[in-house]
Amino acid sequence: MTAEFDEDRFNMAIRKFLKHVGVSSQREIENLVRRGEVKGGKLKLRMTLSAEGTPLKHEVEETVAL
């Protein structure tokens, strides 16, 4: 990190990004379920986070009951 790094501003930007991801992802999942495109009583979800130009690849998996 550089001397110019502002941790508070960085944390706020990350939180804003994650809020956008969460809200838009929930909307997409709800639309999928409402359209009846999910078969069975469970939906297996996977979210992959990457950052261009870095080796970051973070995956989170969860099964959600409908």
Side-chain angles (χ1 to χ4, degrees), residues 8-21:
D8 288 335
R9 185 173 26 194
F10 174 70
N11 285 334
M12 290 301 292
I14 294 297
R15 287 178 184 171
K16 182 178 177 183
F17 170 75
L18 291 173
K19 182 177 180 180
H20 178 74
V21 169

Side-chain angles (χ1 to χ4, degrees), residues 5-66:
F5 176 71
D6 184 335
E7 191 167 343
D8 288 335
R9 185 173 26 194
F10 174 70
N11 285 334
M12 290 301 292
I14 294 297
R15 287 178 184 171
K16 182 178 177 183
F17 170 75
L18 291 173
K19 182 177 180 180
H20 178 74
V21 169
V23 170
S24 61
S25 297
Q26 181 173 349
R27 188 177 306 122
E28 292 297 319
I29 294 165
E30 288 172 348
N31 288 337
L32 181 77
V33 172
R34 284 189 185 109
R35 289 191 307 264
E37 296 184 36
V38 178
K39 305 301 178 208
K42 294 187 277 184
L43 180 61
K44 186 173 181 179
L45 300 169
R46 177 183 304 121
M47 180 70 72
T48 302
L49 174 66
S50 61
E52 190 173 326
T54 75
L56 177 64
K57 183 177 179 187
H58 175 72
E59 289 190 352
V60 177
E61 291 187 17
E62 186 84 21
T63 300
V64 177
L66 303 180

